[in-house]
């Protein structure tokens, strides 16, 4: 059973009288367990829907949906599948106490992998999940492989029952499922020869594995630092060199590079980022792979920006972008005439080793903006807040913006804000 959270006005659902709180029970006699059932079973133009209305009445609707007309049902959020692993580098272990409860949930959910590109390990699948992945053709899925050697993978996941990943991917591939993979690199565990074997095994799966990202493990002051560590410059260089060898091989044989290092890998290795064309369609940009080049492309694609001579604009970000951002800001200065100031923030919630802008707490931004009435505008990274507009430490963006001595905006690619920031 799933429940309606909201109904779009003037939609089919509104015409039928479905209201928030309505329980959606069955479609064409198939029981509804979650949003996937709902989306796939209602994809036809005609179907029978059995629902229990908030007043308790059970109604069967014979629905005919004109092509393209949305049903207009928003569902209550699904119950997230919990993770059965205990990786030494788990982000949840790296959180300080006292943050909002949802941050401490270890999710490992193939449904969110399909829908949002979250990485899953596929270690908690039940026979029914496997059947659904195949029946609904949930492809591509994003899979945390880490190592193809089953013993090493079980050690990384701290899960002795984790199934072997290569047979698992191969079995799904028989049903047409494809994968984006990631390898989170733990020095001394899955780098060197282990990484080479993992890349070789994944490469041999040919079109089954669409892309692979190699990402250095990121830890905080609260992580299990006695169990694992971040790779150093030489280790990142070695991994980047291996990525390049496999990428060149794939390019020669298949016409695309297939494997990429994350931006963090190059930063830690003290190597320049590859050019934009290296990343193909930027399929793992959300995973920090080519995200800087992607940002540059989006700025370029936005076309002409408004002239902003004399304006002083602060760009607040984490240390990871500090080395890369000046070039982006030079481009913006040339395009607008504004003066951009890069404000690099240290993460006082997780510790200085956490340099990603998206993980900066609201209080760090608030502090950085104190007394900054010399700025005409301050741009904050849009991915530092969740869908409710809250930073990781629950500071609401709206509250922060109201209390700031200057105009503050969230921005994904600068162009999204600069075009209208100074309109009346
Ligand atoms: S798979 Fe590992 S890193 Fe991911 S949630 Fe589970 S324990 Fe944490």
């Amino acid at each position: 059973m799933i429940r309606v959270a909201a109904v779009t006005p003037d939609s089919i659902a509104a015409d039928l009288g479905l209201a928030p709180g309505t329980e959606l029970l069955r479609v064409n006699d198939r029981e509804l367990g979650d949003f996937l059932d709902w989306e796939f079973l209602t994809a036809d133009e005609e179907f029978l829907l059995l629902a229990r209305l908030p007043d308790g009445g059970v109604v069967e609707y014979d629905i005919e949906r004109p092509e393209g007309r949305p049903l207009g049902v928003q569902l209550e959020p699904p119950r997230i599948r919990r993770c059965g692993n205990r990786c030494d580098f788990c982000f949840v272990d790296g959180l300080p106490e006292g943050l909002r409860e949802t941050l401490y949930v270890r999710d490992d959910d193939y449904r969110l992998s399909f829908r949002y590109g979250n990485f899953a390990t596929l270690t908690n699948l039940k026979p029914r999940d496997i059947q659904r992945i195949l029946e609904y053709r949930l492809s591509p899925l994003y899979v945390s492989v880490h190592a193809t050697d089953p013993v090493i993978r079980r050690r990384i996941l701290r899960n002795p029952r984790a199934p072997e990943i290569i047979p698992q991917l191969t079995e799904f591939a028989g049903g047409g499922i494809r994968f984006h993979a990631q390898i989170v690199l733990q020095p001394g565990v899955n780098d060197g020869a282990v990484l080479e074997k993992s890349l070789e095994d994944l490469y041999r799966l040919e079109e089954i594995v669409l892309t692979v990202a190699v990402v250095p493990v990121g830890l905080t002051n609260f992580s299990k630092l006695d169990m694992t560590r971040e790779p150093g410059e030489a280790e990142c260089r070695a991994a980047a060199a291996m990525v390049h060898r496999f990428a060149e091989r794939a390019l020669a044989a298949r016409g695309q590079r297939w494997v990429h290092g994350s931006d963090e890998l190059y930063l830690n290795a003290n190597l320049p980022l590859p050019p934009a064309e290296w990343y193909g369609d930027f399929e793992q940009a959300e995973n920090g792979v080519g995200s800087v080049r992607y940002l540059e492309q989006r700025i370029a694609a936005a076309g002409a920006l408004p002239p902003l001579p004399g304006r002083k604009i602060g760009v607040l970000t984490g240390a990871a972008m500090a080395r890369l951002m000046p070039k982006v800001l030079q481009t913006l200065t040339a395009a607008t005439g504004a003066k951009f100031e890069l404000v690099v923030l240290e993460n006082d919630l997780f510790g200085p080793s956490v340099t990603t802008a998206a993980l900066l707490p609201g209080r760090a931004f608030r502090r950085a903006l104190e007394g900054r009435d010399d700025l005409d505008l301050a741009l904050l990274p849009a991915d530092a807040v969740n869908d409710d507009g809250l930073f990781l430490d629950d500071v609401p963006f709206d509250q922060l913006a109201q209390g700031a001595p200057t105009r503050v905006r969230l921005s994904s690619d600068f162009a999204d804000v600069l075009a209208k920031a100074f309109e009346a």
Side-chain angles (χ1 to χ4, degrees), residues 17-28:
L18 297 182
T22 299
E23 294 174 3
L24 304 170
L25 307 172
R26 290 172 169 268
V27 166
N28 295 337

Side-chain angles (χ1 to χ4, degrees), residues 83-87 89-92 106-108 121 146 157:
C83 176
N85 310 310
R86 280 295 176 271
C87 308
F89 54 80
C90 185
F91 179 74
V92 172
R106 290 174 216 259
D107 72 272
D108 192 7
T121 64
H146 303 327
L157 299 174

Side-chain angles (χ1 to χ4, degrees), residues 241-263:
M242 196 178 294
V243 164
H244 281 234
R245 276 205 305 282
F246 273 89
E248 291 308 327
R249 178 175 157 197
L251 185 66
R254 300 176 183 171
Q256 53 177 319
R257 287 193 170 81
W258 176 76
V259 60
H260 302 103
S262 69
D263 292 1

Side-chain angles (χ1 to χ4, degrees), residues 161-230:
R161 290 190 301 280
E164 290 194 34
I165 190 70
I166 293 293
Q168 202 178 21
L169 298 184
T170 309
E171 192 187 332
F172 279 126
I177 311 301
R178 300 290 178 261
F179 301 92
H180 292 285
Q182 75 163 352
I183 292 174
V184 173
L185 209 62
Q186 277 185 279
V189 180
N190 62 344
D191 57 352
V194 179
L195 176 63
E196 188 165 21
K197 176 173 166 22
S198 298
L199 292 176
E200 186 66 45
D201 290 344
L202 293 172
Y203 187 74
R204 285 198 190 147
L205 291 183
E206 301 194 341
E207 75 280 359
I208 297 171
V209 177
L210 303 170
T211 63
V212 180
V214 176
V215 183
V217 69
L219 304 171
T220 77
N221 281 356
F222 304 92
S223 299
K224 297 174 179 169
L225 299 176
D226 51 336
M227 314 279 275
T228 188
R229 64 177 176 86
E230 294 183 350

Side-chain angles (χ1 to χ4, degrees), residues 25-44:
L25 307 172
R26 290 172 169 268
V27 166
N28 295 337
D29 272 341
R30 290 271 307 265
E31 212 167 299
L32 294 168
D34 63 15
F35 68 93
L36 280 182
D37 291 330
W38 174 250
E39 285 171 19
F40 282 88
L41 298 175
T42 60
D44 292 339

Side-chain angles (χ1 to χ4, degrees), residues 3-26:
R3 200 177 275 123
V4 175
V7 171
T8 313
D10 298 325
S11 64
I12 295 173
D15 293 350
L16 294 173
L18 297 182
T22 299
E23 294 174 3
L24 304 170
L25 307 172
R26 290 172 169 268

